[in-house]
Amino acid sequence: MDAAVNSVRIIPAVAVPEGAGVTVYRTIGSPVLRDYDPFLLLDHISSDKPEDYKAGFPSHPHRGFTTFTYMIDGHMEHQDNMGNSGDLGPGSAQWMKAASGIIHSEMPKQKNGLMRGFQLWINLPAAHKMDHPEYQEYPAEAFPVVKMQDYTVKVLIGRFADTNAPITDELTGVSYYDVRVQPGKHFQHRLPAGNNSFLYVFEGDGQLGEQRVPLHSWVPLGAGEGSFDFVAGKKGARLLVVSGKPIGEPVARYGPFVMNTREQIDQAMQDFQSNNFVRDRAWIKRNQ
């Protein structure tokens, strides 16, 4: 194994209440792992019990970062104060650069059945925290899948081999893959130079070197260029593999606001309380 991952640290997901009482499984953004530059939060919803998700995420603000929401099973409806709305169904995803500020909601469109998905918060550099908001939403069929003998890779952000996702994040160079590995088979991947990278196992289990990686485990893959070799367990495995360029700036955060200083957080709170939160009405929407 390459030196990039010669020391395996495993962080199990922790169940926490979020929104109006939704149970999410959190790794990044927990007390154990406050952030992983440029990533601020990784939440995993996974339940077939309506009481775990039916309350949803009523109207709430964001400022200073980008959210990426990926649905695997179930339906989640998005609405925001700019008049945008959409139904995130199985396999679909939404990239939303909140930047200077949006107010939106995410509510389940189902009363029962399985709900599974992820939300990743990606920080923005100081020079872009007050940019115009941007919004992209794509159905499942918009995302290419690379099929190999031992694994498949759904390319959600960035590039894998010669395959490009419909979503690119030019500011932090994020790549985001949904990888299925056949039982006992390998997934080997070279990490981008200078990036912070991680994987999260959400079906089955596997190994990195001599270290077993159980279900619902988050593993940092280190900074700098290197490669890793993930071997799926007897039932196979499914995992997220995510990478991004560190920003290297101070992080000040309070709930849904992520800025660089406490004064900027105070300003965001004041703007929200005074109904002056959305700074620019020129919403840029690319919905393909």
Side-chain angles (χ1 to χ4, degrees):
M1 182 179 297
D2 197 285
V5 288
N6 59 7
S7 179
V8 178
R9 178 189 182 196
I10 294 178
I11 295 178
V14 178
V16 297
E18 192 54 87
V22 178
T23 299
V24 299
Y25 297 90
R26 181 168 297 167
T27 47
I28 306 174
S30 69
V32 175
L33 184 67
R34 181 172 173 78
D35 56 47
Y36 188 64
D37 191 10
F39 306 111
L40 301 163
L41 177 142
L42 179 64
D43 278 352
H44 177 204
I45 298 176
S46 181
S47 181
D48 57 6
K49 299 177 181 178
E51 59 269 25
D52 285 342
Y53 60 76
K54 65 181 180 180
F57 305 90
S59 186
H60 58 281
H62 287 309
R63 175 178 283 179
F65 59 98
T66 296
T67 67
F68 180 69
T69 304
Y70 174 39
M71 291 299 297
I72 296 171
D73 297 290
H75 289 264
M76 189 76 77
E77 183 177 29
H78 159 83
Q79 292 184 336
D80 64 48
N81 62 311
M82 299 294 187
N84 297 301
S85 64
D87 175 16
L88 286 176
S92 65
Q94 177 199 83
W95 180 91
M96 187 172 68
K97 181 182 174 183
S100 59
I102 62 147
I103 301 171
H104 77 141
S105 64
E106 297 151 305
M107 301 298 292
K109 288 193 69 176
Q110 62 192 59
K111 295 183 178 179
N112 51 58
L114 180 61
M115 176 78 76
R116 287 201 303 168
F118 294 90
Q119 187 166 94
L120 178 69
W121 290 12
I122 306 163
N123 200 9
L124 285 169
H128 295 276
K129 283 187 176 292
M130 296 302 287
D131 283 358
H132 302 323
E134 297 182 32
Y135 169 78
Q136 298 180 59
E137 186 170 311
Y138 294 92
E141 57 268 23
F143 297 100
V145 177
V146 177
K147 297 182 179 180
M148 305 298 286
Q149 183 174 351
D150 295 344
Y151 60 83
T152 63
V153 179
K154 183 174 182 177
V155 189
L156 291 143
I157 306 178
R159 181 181 179 89
F160 180 83
D162 295 325
T163 303
N164 293 309
I167 299 174
T168 59
D169 190 320
E170 296 178 357
L171 295 177
T172 49
V174 170
S175 60
Y176 188 118
Y177 312 138
D178 176 354
V179 182
R180 292 178 182 265
V181 189
Q182 297 299 315
K185 301 299 182 180
H186 294 247
F187 174 69
Q188 296 176 323
H189 181 60
R190 178 159 290 277
L191 303 167
N195 279 18
N196 279 336
S197 308
F198 68 85
L199 64 80
Y200 177 81
V201 176
F202 64 98
E203 289 183 12
D205 62 3
Q207 283 198 187
L208 281 172
E210 300 300 318
Q211 180 69 56
R212 179 175 176 268
V213 183
L215 180 66
H216 297 159
S217 292
W218 182 95
V219 180
L221 298 173
E225 186 174 12
S227 62
F228 70 93
D229 182 3
F230 178 89
V231 185
K234 294 181 179 179
K235 296 183 179 180
R238 191 172 176 188
L239 55 149
L240 300 183
V241 178
V242 182
S243 183
K245 298 176 184 176
I247 296 171
E249 295 176 348
V251 174
R253 64 191 294 176
Y254 181 79
F257 310 132
V258 183
M259 304 299 288
N260 297 100
T261 69
R262 180 65 203 187
E263 290 75 19
Q264 292 169 340
I265 293 292
D266 292 342
Q267 184 64 57
M269 294 174 64
Q270 181 180 330
D271 289 344
F272 182 64
Q273 293 165 357
S274 63
N275 248 1
N276 191 36
F277 185 69
V278 179
R279 294 292 185 89
D280 196 318
R281 299 282 168 174
W283 181 264
I284 303 170
K285 181 179 179 182
R286 295 195 299 265
N287 190 355
Q288 301 175 354

